[in-house]
Amino acid sequence: MMKIILSMSMTAIITLVLMITCSIISKKTIMDREKMSPFECGFDPKSSARLPFSLQFFLIAILFLIFDIEIAMILPMIITMKMSNIMSWAMTVTIFILVLIIGLYYEWKNGMLEWTF
């Protein structure tokens, strides 16, 4: 028990020392208008460099990643078909694909798949 308390206290001390050292050594930056503006060959920028991010694009990207991962999960199911009971394998695949279809239907009905500007 003493070893655990000693190792936890040493970890906390080392962590605090590193955090304090990093905050002392770190470079302090003073934010002003010139340093925060984008560089355009010495001229004033014509428009804002910070364009608003489309939330709809983010949702489409997340949906793509989700369905991409699901395809990666479906592909090994084909290989495991030979090694498993066909009834349990068919039920697993059916439930998995049914959940995917219900999720896609839900997203479609809520208008998450429509690209609007």
Side-chain angles (χ1 to χ4, degrees):
M1 184 70 173
M2 191 64 174
K3 289 182 182 181
I4 295 173
I5 294 173
L6 182 65
S7 64
M8 287 176 64
S9 63
M10 288 299 293
T11 304
I13 291 171
I14 291 172
T15 304
L16 286 173
V17 168
L18 285 175
M19 287 172 60
I20 292 170
T21 305
C22 286
S23 67
I24 291 172
I25 295 175
S26 69
K27 180 180 173 183
K28 304 285 189 245
T29 59
I30 299 172
M31 302 296 179
D32 62 350
R33 188 178 89 75
E34 292 297 321
K35 288 185 179 179
M36 292 299 292
S37 67
F39 180 70
E40 287 188 12
C41 301
F43 297 105
D44 287 333
K46 293 182 179 181
S47 64
S48 174
R50 310 289 187 262
L51 296 176
F53 186 74
S54 171
L55 185 62
Q56 191 68 28
F57 174 75
F58 178 73
L59 289 174
I60 296 291
I62 293 297
L63 288 175
F64 171 76
L65 286 175
I66 289 171
F67 281 104
D68 191 39
I69 290 170
E70 290 164 354
I71 293 296
M73 291 173 69
I74 287 174
L75 288 176
M77 287 182 182
I78 298 168
I79 298 170
T80 60
M81 182 173 64
K82 293 179 185 177
M83 296 176 270
S84 63
N85 182 6
I86 193 69
M87 196 62 180
S88 65
W89 180 86
M91 287 299 295
T92 304
V93 172
T94 304
I95 291 172
F96 186 75
I97 292 178
L98 189 65
V99 167
L100 290 180
I101 291 171
I102 291 171
L104 183 62
Y105 180 74
Y106 175 77
E107 291 164 355
W108 184 19
K109 284 300 177 184
N110 283 336
M112 293 177 168
L113 301 177
E114 294 178 15
W115 193 274
T116 57
F117 291 103

